[in-house]
Amino acid sequence: MDKHISELIGHSRLRDRIVTAETAASWIKNGMTLGLSGFTRAGDAKAVPFALIEKAKQQHLKVNVYTGASLGSDVDKMMAEAGIVNKRLPFQADSFMRKKINEGEILFIDQHLSHTAELVRSDVLNPIDFAIVEAVSITEDGMIIPSTSVGNSSIFVKKARHIIVELNTAQPKELKGLHDIYEVGKQGEREPIPLTKVDDRIGTIGIPVDEDKIIGIVLTNQFDSPSTIVPPDAETSAIANHLIHFLRKEVAAGRLSEHLAPLQAGIGSVANAVLYGLLNSEFSNLEVYSEVLQDAVFDLIDAGKVRFASGCSITLSQNKMKEVYSNLDAYRDKLILRPQEISNHPEIVRRLGLISINTALEADIYGNINSTHVRGTNMMNGIGGSGDFARNARLTIFVTKSVAKNGAISSIVPFVSHVDHTEHDVDVIITEYGYADLRGLAPIERAPLIIENCAHPDYRPQLREYFKEALKRGGQTPHVLEKAFSWHVNYEKYGTMMEPKYQLQTQE
Ligand code: COA
């Protein structure tokens, strides 16, 4: 036992700070602000949040919860069910928490994922009372070695009044050495970030910590929850094929080499499927500079297609998790995990010239993108890192299926009901029907391309009619304002965006 503990906690002075999750939770009081580790279900604090949920059964408790991104292990769900969350930022992806946000019971700040650290560092947000971070070990010189994500853990540890470390023995200890922790320093006083290549190491292997702030260490033994992405289907495979076709044209035009450029791919099933498309392509020696590393990235590494992948979390399906974590040494020279502020940093994204691929809920005929708000009102997950990348990438690509809800919703609409990414940032839109390369095109040139190449054929006549009528009104970006949101209104009223006369046409 002692040997085991000394391996986990190299720093001898910290070994007597082991406490139970219940004791740690007892320190957390109503109204406090917590900075939890965790990014897209990976590396989240697992024991103390649950003890806190139990505690809330006995006494009134509401806390502000800051994280890297979404939490796994149903922590977001159970915190929402227990009603203990006052304010949540910067991202979540749980259906029950989403419901509570949309009912106004949880205040949600939907934030660019690279921004949280800046706001915490400059004391704009509520000060963090407790950082609760998962780790695989604490080194002799007192550095916290994170587990499967870095997220915002390093800034939380730096700024929090107190720190609780969850040492999780279920996570592979071989993760030590994969992280690269770099502190950018204060705005206005900092140097350029010295990262010019995807595989550059610029920091330390762990999070440097003021040991006096660690007031409790909780031992846990629980795997991350596996990702819930579904395998590629006919539509997402078609999207991947269009992407490859587009990239081929870029190579043929001499704008990219066969190694392309460092790739960023967003969260979810569509983005994962799109990466899978590269498996059977001719592109080789690829690099990934992304946020979440999903299953597809590891398959691409295994196939020898990806040379190196830099991210801030590893989020895998059950089977892939077993495969990768039992063989981590094989990936040691091919992986780096960084703080999300660095993985998503605009300076780096622009410098490396990324190809950024993220998923839209809907796009409009001029190229604006809504990634977050269903019918402009209800939060889905959040903007996540998509804005960090979209604004700064060399090539900003948005993918989406052309329709949702069995065709009742067109993902191409006259006017998006919420704007996350403006027409100025969007280079290419891809659906299963094709792609629209919007670069160098004025709004009135973009609309026909998006309608004819990307919209579902059943919705094209209705979109053409809207655009025709809008053109008559003139303007740089023509609209029929009184009809611009009629598609969303129709869906709310009648359960479909399709107008009756076009419904008849599609039935014929
Ligand atoms: N209106 C309403 N609902 C829509 C819709 C639209 N225009 N388009 C899709 N949906 C629904 C789907 O029906 C599905 O609903 P379900 O969960 O009830 O089945 C859900 O949205 C997810 O759609 P899906 O096609 O399965 O895509 P996905 O799993 O790839 O997720 C996003 C798509 C947009 C929700 C997801 O990528 C996201 O949250 N993106 C924003 C954050 C981001 O890009 N982060 C990455 C930065 S690195």
Side-chain angles (χ1 to χ4, degrees), residues 444-492:
I444 54 170
E445 294 177 290
R446 284 179 224 148
L449 204 62
I450 295 173
I451 296 170
E452 302 309 329
N453 291 9
C454 299
H456 191 283
D458 290 351
Y459 278 102
R460 284 182 201 163
Q462 201 175 316
L463 284 165
R464 286 183 199 127
E465 186 185 271
Y466 177 87
F467 181 54
K468 201 168 143 198
E469 199 179 340
L471 274 179
K472 287 190 191 137
R473 305 240 175 138
Q476 159 76 3
T477 309
H479 271 299
V480 185
L481 279 185
E482 67 276 20
K483 290 189 181 168
F485 296 125
S486 62
W487 293 45
H488 303 87
V489 175
N490 280 345
Y491 180 73
E492 261 182 7

Side-chain angles (χ1 to χ4, degrees), residues 91 264 266-270 291 358-362 371 374 380-386 389 404-405 409:
F91 186 83
Q264 176 267 328
I267 56 157
S269 307
V270 179
E291 198 185 77
N358 290 291
T359 312
L361 281 178
E362 58 180 7
S371 299
V374 173
M380 176 62 94
N381 299 324
I383 192 167
S386 57
F389 294 104
K405 307 296 174 210
I409 292 177

